[in-house]
Amino acid sequence: MSTLDERIRSLEESAPLPSANLKRPFRWAVLLGCVTFPLIWAGGLVTSTDAGMAVPDWPNTYGYNMFSYPFESWFFGPWDLFIEHGHRLLGSTAGLVAIMLVISTFRNSKNACLRWMSVFALLLVILQGLLGGVRVLAADRILAMVHGCVGPAFFAFSAAFATVLYQNSRSVSAVSQPTRRTKLQTLTICLTAGSFLQLVLGANMRHIEESASFHWFRLLVLLHVLFATVVLLLTVVIFIIRRANGKQLESIRGTSFLVTLFVIAQYVLGVGTWITKYHWPFGSDQFGVFAGLLTLDKSIVQTSIVTGHVAMGSLILMTSTVMMMQMFSWQITNQPNKDKMIETPTNRDMQVSSLGVQA
Amino acid sequence: MMTCGWEVKFAVRRRKRSSAIMKKQIQIANIVVGLFILTIFLGCADKPSFQFNAVSKKEAENGTPFSAEQSQDVANILTALFGTPDDPAMPNVNSFHWYLQYDEGYAEDFATLVDFENLKRSAGPVSSDENGDSRGLYREHCAHCHGISGGGDGPTALTLNPYPRDFRHGVYKFKSTSGKARPTDDDLMHIINEGIPGTSMPSFKVAINDNEKKALVDYVKYLSLRGEIERLLWTMTSELETGERLPLVFADGYDKLSEEEKDNLMGWFEEEGAKVESLFKSWLKAKTSPNVKQPPTAPESFDPKHPEHSTLIAQGREIFHGKAGDCKSCHGFTGYGDGELNNYDVWNQWAKGKSDDYIAEFVNDGALPPRTIAPRNFRNGVFRGGRDPNTLYRRIKEGIQGAQMPNAATLTDDQIWSLVAYVRNIKSEPITGGQSHLPVNDKPIN
């Protein structure tokens, strides 16, 4: 262990870029996230209302260029056409914002990593658009599923990028780092992985092939429930650790609270989704509450709960990704040769010293 | 140093772990990516095609499997008659005109059994056009439960209770026709509209419009008829000598047959035709002249405000528990539906009295694990087929097909009305009078 002096010196060396200018790309990244979320809702609606194939061609809409498709036939057309075409328009908006993000990042930073991240976001949004398009042309369920998984992944990525930009647009001392990180970091990584796995499992159930075997579907259901429980436990454990450590884990205070809230809500929504779609699974005769329950297909209640469950899934993925990112420091050094992101474990010492506590 | 319980533990382990942590993270990432790819690829299924009825095939085989050709013959005949899930055919409508010769009188009518346009709308993959007209209705709304072949074995089936209906028996529970008669179009329409409360069969009142529902009614009938003929073909195959084949072998559909082959086919159907014909006829009858009996008017005391109403209920109670009705033997002394718990319905009948090994073989071949049938629990006050007096009268009078509930052949009209009054009242009847109950329900008896 080095002395406090040494560590402070090393800190000075790796002090961040003066980077108030990163606030701009940060804002674009946040905007991108804000556009992506309703996009995921709309995407969820496309599936819950089976609107996916309401427009058979792509990138055109019934032969029109997407942007010149007559407003009246879209806005006042059949509901599934409205949803599907609206989804396409929203998607294009996200693409435009992603382009702005790239431009803004390139203008405000010379850092290769940041630049690559912004380009990656743009590529992802393009890939997602193509996937959606090919899914329509090939009327393919597997593609629909991948499309459904890349969407939230993209959402999470833009939030992660925003976190990186945020950290770099502030001075180090503003980012308080946890004192003992390793275990908690692993937990947050597991949580992010777990919530993504849940999304994949969910998409598999949602887009289940009609000819798939019932054993396979049941396996998916059991896994989905199992990992739901794992994710719930993880969030609760993280929440408890964070509370117990008070100030030192201040940076994830908000995200850990939110993610716990979301996961609990998600659990309830999941049960609701099952019941409004498939009724009570153990027979209703011995469970009086459900005896008279009639599921009304595509009712407002059913559609909102199911879409809510889907959207909440990506919200959880996004929040847990941000929390995971917050558990690390993504400061960029200003040393010319090391113009790349490094993890700076020394931050915690900064805090310790600023608190005036001897290590 | 400021620490707490968690912190201490972390601090101790931290150094040991820090080198391993990177590896761990990579491991986790690998597992996630692996699972992702696995789920995607395992989830792939073939293009939907009709599947054999595993249960009726295996039952017909009775231990000695049919040869590959024999099975292929059945598949070919069915494809020739009914087409594929993407490209349906209806024998009498399209290509199949043996009936013209076999039975002049019916030929015309058979064409009206189902509307071919309706079949085409219901079949195939899901899509819709600019006017909002949808195609692939069955796959969009029904197949994930009822299965591509209508075997009640869609992907969700195993997680539902009761299982979705297997259409291939042509047997339906909640209908207005008598006895074994097929349901009318209105009956099927009613089910699609109202759903079945207490089960996962949804109401499609808001999900689809009336024309689409009509199309689905026809498709359900199509799947039923196809399934019934398939079951018949397996029975016919089981009657063949070893190595012998059904006397018609063609792969590309009726239209592509040579004249000689057509003659062969016709000849064969003329021998076996009566059996096939009776299946057609029973569906046609349910459509054109269904055997729907209007229930007699209820006695005045059926009105709950009538002073004699409690007498009527008491009479129903007696019949329910007595020899005459003997409803209690299935529905239980207290009406909890716990009287008979080990019976199998028509769709699971194959498992009755069979060994676990026998059952496991069927399940291996694609059958749903068999379940026993649950008689209705009247204490919930829910009637899945509808609780209005006329419907309940019919239900008790005719019994419930498939569910093994017998018809009330020996009871008079008034007795049946008293039963209707009684079963509607059980919900609010106190559990008294030294009634015993069976182990399944743990509710105390006062």
Side-chain angles (χ1 to χ4, degrees):
Chain A
M1 270 262 171
S2 49
T3 68
L4 195 59
D5 279 351
E6 274 172 331
R7 271 175 278 153
I8 289 177
R9 210 175 304 128
S10 79
L11 237 183
E12 280 164 352
E13 276 167 17
S14 62
L17 287 166
S19 44
N21 51 356
L22 282 182
K23 281 197 175 133
R24 280 191 190 174
F26 167 70
R27 284 187 197 129
W28 281 113
V30 170
L31 182 65
L32 187 56
C34 294
V35 175
T36 312
F37 192 52
L39 188 56
I40 289 173
W41 271 86
L45 272 175
V46 169
T47 305
S48 352
T49 56
D50 287 303
M53 297 308 293
V55 185
D57 49 352
W58 184 89
N60 291 349
T61 293
Y62 286 106
Y64 286 92
N65 174 299
M66 184 176 2
F67 301 103
S68 61
Y69 187 66
F71 180 74
E72 320 81 65
S73 33
W74 163 55
F75 205 76
F76 303 108
W79 166 250
D80 47 1
L81 175 60
F82 171 75
I83 291 280
E84 170 64 13
H85 189 66
H87 182 59
R88 289 175 181 199
L89 289 181
L90 258 175
S92 327
T93 314
L96 291 180
V97 176
I99 293 174
M100 290 312 293
L101 176 61
V102 173
I103 294 174
S104 169
T105 311
F106 272 69
R107 275 208 183 150
N108 290 297
S109 169
K110 290 212 157 52
N111 180 270
C113 254
L114 292 183
R115 288 180 162 197
W116 269 116
M117 278 180 95
S118 70
V119 171
F120 185 69
L122 180 60
L123 288 179
L124 214 52
V125 98
I126 292 172
L127 170 77
Q128 178 68 344
L130 287 176
L131 272 175
V134 177
R135 178 256 180 279
V136 168
L137 293 184
D140 188 299
R141 292 213 155 201
I142 306 293
L143 281 178
M145 221 171 59
V146 177
H147 184 68
C149 294
V150 174
F154 171 73
F155 183 42
F157 180 78
S158 43
F161 187 37
T163 316
V164 171
L165 289 169
Y166 179 80
Q167 285 190 2
N168 282 294
S169 65
R170 303 206 148 205
S171 60
V172 176
S173 55
V175 185
S176 70
Q177 284 295 313
T179 323
R180 308 280 178 228
R181 311 163 324 183
T182 48
K183 190 140 203 167
L184 204 52
Q185 280 176 341
T186 316
L187 287 182
T188 56
I189 293 171
C190 288
L191 178 61
T192 309
S195 32
F196 189 64
L197 180 68
Q198 280 297 79
L199 270 166
V200 175
L201 286 170
N204 265 276
M205 287 160 66
R206 207 165 143 74
H207 296 282
I208 190 81
E209 204 86 34
E210 297 91 348
S211 52
S213 114
F214 41 76
H215 296 294
W216 168 244
F217 184 80
R218 194 177 68 158
L219 180 68
L220 287 176
V221 175
L222 293 178
L223 284 177
H224 198 59
V225 173
L226 178 75
F227 281 103
T229 315
V230 170
V231 165
L232 183 63
L233 287 178
L234 276 173
T235 48
V236 170
V237 168
I238 292 173
F239 185 75
I240 291 173
I241 296 180
R242 202 224 52 88
R243 281 201 56 145
N245 286 280
K247 280 234 170 65
Q248 293 154 38
L249 292 172
E250 193 64 25
S251 60
I252 62 160
R253 183 192 185 130
T255 36
S256 129
F257 173 74
L258 278 181
V259 96
T260 313
L261 196 73
F262 289 164
V263 169
I264 292 170
Q266 182 71 333
Y267 219 96
V268 176
L269 280 175
V271 172
T273 296
W274 187 272
I275 288 174
T276 53
K277 274 185 81 99
Y278 301 130
H279 211 272
W280 181 245
F282 307 110
S284 65
D285 260 334
Q286 303 304 328
F287 294 86
V289 221
F290 298 107
L293 178 71
L294 173 71
T295 57
L296 182 55
D297 198 49
K298 306 281 186 309
S299 65
I300 294 179
V301 176
Q302 188 199 60
T303 312
S304 349
I305 291 184
V306 175
T307 315
H309 189 58
V310 171
M312 187 65 88
S314 37
L315 208 54
I316 289 172
L317 178 65
M318 187 278 281
T319 327
S320 59
T321 308
V322 170
M323 181 163 78
M324 176 182 78
M325 298 298 285
Q326 285 169 335
M327 291 302 296
F328 297 87
S329 175
W330 303 96
Q331 303 292 342
I332 295 159
T333 60
N334 59 355
Q335 287 164 344
N337 300 336
K338 292 192 201 159
D339 191 19
K340 61 177 183 189
M341 273 186 289
I342 55 155
E343 225 191 88
T344 53
T346 42
N347 290 348
R348 68 186 173 88
D349 304 316
M350 252 292 285
Q351 210 193 5
V352 171
S353 61
S354 70
L355 287 168
V357 181
Q358 284 297 314
Chain B
M1 194 164 228
M2 297 190 300
T3 51
C4 69
W6 280 97
E7 288 277 300
V8 176
K9 277 195 209 139
F10 289 178
V12 173
R13 291 209 201 129
R14 185 175 160 236
R15 227 155 297 142
K16 271 189 249 155
R17 297 167 54 91
S18 57
S19 62
I21 203 145
M22 208 58 191
K23 266 190 209 157
K24 261 251 168 71
Q25 287 169 6
I26 292 172
Q27 256 172 21
I28 291 170
N30 275 342
I31 291 171
V32 171
V33 172
L35 274 176
F36 179 68
I37 293 169
L38 197 75
T39 31
I40 285 181
F41 286 103
L42 284 183
C44 290
D46 299 333
K47 193 171 173 231
S49 58
F50 285 130
Q51 301 295 314
F52 282 147
N53 184 335
V55 168
S56 72
K57 174 165 183 265
K58 225 169 156 57
E59 270 189 316
E61 282 173 342
N62 196 15
T64 28
F66 297 143
S67 69
E69 293 91 29
Q70 284 176 328
S71 302
Q72 191 58 48
D73 288 348
V74 172
N76 289 348
I77 296 170
L78 286 171
T79 310
L81 300 185
F82 292 97
T84 64
D86 284 349
D87 188 14
M90 198 59 190
N92 50 311
V93 181
N94 234 7
S95 57
F96 196 62
H97 43 82
W98 55 273
Y99 263 108
L100 288 174
Q101 302 188 357
Y102 189 73
D103 191 334
E104 287 291 339
Y106 270 108
E108 291 274 291
D109 296 339
F110 277 126
T112 65
L113 182 55
V114 297
D115 180 343
F116 189 59
E117 273 310 306
N118 278 347
L119 291 190
K120 284 209 298 203
R121 277 192 81 178
S122 307
V126 183
S127 69
S128 65
D129 63 22
E130 206 167 2
N131 306 320
D133 280 341
S134 313
R135 308 207 142 244
L137 296 169
Y138 183 74
R139 260 180 244 177
E140 178 173 357
H141 299 291
C142 323
H144 55 283
C145 291
H146 289 285
I148 289 287
S149 319
D153 53 0
T156 61
L158 197 51
T159 45
L160 307 179
N161 192 339
Y163 288 143
R165 179 73 62 258
D166 177 349
F167 299 138
R168 299 172 301 187
H169 289 246
V171 176
Y172 293 83
K173 285 182 189 171
F174 306 115
K175 62 198 182 73
S176 58
T177 54
S178 296
K180 285 192 166 27
R182 302 295 183 275
T184 64
D185 286 7
D186 284 348
D187 290 339
L188 294 175
M189 188 61 128
H190 181 84
I191 291 289
I192 296 176
N193 254 327
E194 306 298 328
I196 307 181
T199 80
S200 46
M201 172 67 198
S203 153
F204 289 93
K205 216 178 256 166
V206 295
I208 46 186
N209 65 35
D210 284 347
N211 282 334
E212 293 171 336
K213 284 175 204 149
K214 279 201 190 100
L216 282 165
V217 165
D218 276 357
Y219 200 73
V220 167
K221 284 159 63 175
Y222 159 85
L223 287 175
S224 263
L225 190 55
R226 186 188 171 282
E228 288 174 80
I229 290 185
E230 182 191 349
R231 288 158 43 81
L232 185 66
L233 289 174
W234 289 125
T235 317
M236 287 176 176
T237 310
S238 74
E239 285 155 6
L240 298 175
E241 303 291 322
T242 350
E244 200 189 346
R245 295 169 64 176
L246 289 177
L248 60 161
V249 182
F250 51 93
D252 308 322
Y254 186 85
D255 290 332
K256 302 215 173 90
L257 297 186
S258 69
E259 281 312 308
E260 196 198 329
E261 283 169 325
K262 280 185 186 169
D263 277 352
N264 268 344
L265 178 62
M266 216 81 80
W268 180 69
F269 268 118
E270 248 165 72
E271 272 170 41
E272 302 283 355
K275 294 178 193 160
V276 181
E277 188 194 31
S278 74
L279 297 177
F280 273 89
K281 274 186 179 165
S282 40
W283 277 103
L284 195 64
K285 188 157 186 304
K287 174 154 182 147
T288 51
S289 54
N291 184 3
V292 179
K293 294 195 195 86
Q294 242 2 78
T297 31
E300 271 172 26
S301 58
F302 189 81
D303 180 1
K305 290 188 207 92
H306 196 276
E308 297 288 293
H309 188 64
S310 54
T311 326
L312 187 72
I313 289 179
Q315 189 197 342
R317 185 169 203 290
E318 213 156 278
I319 301 167
F320 189 91
H321 290 93
K323 271 255 149 39
D326 199 30
C327 316
K328 67 152 191 327
S329 65
C330 287
H331 291 283
F333 292 97
T334 47
Y336 268 118
D338 53 359
E340 186 193 53
L341 298 165
N342 55 2
N343 201 2
Y344 289 91
D345 61 20
V346 157
W347 302 277
N348 290 287
Q349 195 65 33
W350 58 269
K352 192 169 184 172
K354 294 293 197 283
S355 71
D356 287 353
D357 288 348
Y358 180 92
I359 291 174
E361 253 181 61
F362 274 62
V363 173
N364 251 348
D365 278 14
L368 282 159
R371 284 187 189 146
T372 51
I373 179 82
R376 184 72 60 258
N377 175 356
F378 294 128
R379 294 271 160 191
N380 293 322
V382 173
F383 300 98
R384 295 182 179 173
R387 67 171 285 119
D388 65 294
N390 280 349
T391 306
L392 275 179
Y393 178 94
R394 257 194 206 122
R395 201 110 306 138
I396 295 171
K397 168 101 185 164
E398 302 292 345
I400 301 179
Q401 292 301 312
Q404 314 288 25
M405 168 156 144
N407 62 359
T410 57
L411 299 181
T412 65
D413 290 351
D414 278 356
Q415 284 176 316
I416 294 177
W417 277 119
S418 68
L419 277 172
V420 173
Y422 178 64
V423 294
R424 279 161 57 111
N425 188 59
I426 291 184
K427 185 183 174 200
S428 42
E429 184 191 61
I431 308 171
T432 52
Q435 291 166 348
S436 59
H437 66 78
L438 292 146
V440 67
N441 86 64
D442 49 0
K443 304 215 172 52
I445 287 181
N446 316 320

